[in-house]
Short mmCIF file of all heavy atoms in Angstrom, two decimals:
data_model
loop_
_atom_site.label_atom_id
_atom_site.label_comp_id
_atom_site.label_asym_id
_atom_site.label_seq_id
_atom_site.Cartn_x
_atom_site.Cartn_y
_atom_site.Cartn_z
N ASP W 9 -1.09 24.72 -2.39
CA ASP W 9 -0.98 25.81 -1.40
C ASP W 9 -2.00 26.91 -1.69
O ASP W 9 -2.10 27.39 -2.82
CB ASP W 9 0.45 26.38 -1.45
CG ASP W 9 0.84 27.04 -0.15
OD1 ASP W 9 0.22 28.07 0.18
OD2 ASP W 9 1.75 26.54 0.53
N ASP W 303 -1.29 29.58 -4.38
CA ASP W 303 -1.12 30.59 -3.33
C ASP W 303 -0.63 31.90 -3.93
O ASP W 303 -1.11 32.98 -3.58
CB ASP W 303 -0.13 30.07 -2.28
CG ASP W 303 0.08 31.05 -1.13
OD1 ASP W 303 -0.92 31.36 -0.43
OD2 ASP W 303 1.21 31.52 -0.94
N HIS W 307 -2.35 35.63 -3.72
CA HIS W 307 -1.69 36.87 -3.30
C HIS W 307 -1.77 37.93 -4.39
O HIS W 307 -1.87 39.11 -4.11
CB HIS W 307 -0.22 36.61 -2.94
CG HIS W 307 -0.04 35.87 -1.65
ND1 HIS W 307 -0.35 36.41 -0.43
CD2 HIS W 307 0.42 34.61 -1.39
CE1 HIS W 307 -0.08 35.52 0.53
NE2 HIS W 307 0.37 34.43 -0.03
N HIS W 345 -4.18 26.13 3.51
CA HIS W 345 -5.04 27.20 4.03
C HIS W 345 -5.65 27.89 2.82
O HIS W 345 -5.15 27.72 1.71
CB HIS W 345 -4.19 28.22 4.83
CG HIS W 345 -3.01 28.73 4.03
ND1 HIS W 345 -3.15 29.55 2.92
CD2 HIS W 345 -1.69 28.49 4.13
CE1 HIS W 345 -1.97 29.80 2.39
NE2 HIS W 345 -1.05 29.14 3.10
N HIS W 354 -3.57 34.97 3.35
CA HIS W 354 -4.11 33.74 3.93
C HIS W 354 -5.26 34.04 4.90
O HIS W 354 -5.25 35.06 5.56
CB HIS W 354 -3.03 33.01 4.73
CG HIS W 354 -1.77 32.76 3.96
ND1 HIS W 354 -0.64 32.24 4.53
CD2 HIS W 354 -1.47 32.97 2.65
CE1 HIS W 354 0.30 32.13 3.61
NE2 HIS W 354 -0.16 32.57 2.47
ZN1 LIG G 1 1.02 32.51 0.84
#
Side-chain angles (χ1 to χ4, degrees):
D9 204 295
D303 181 61
H307 288 292
H345 53 68
H354 307 173

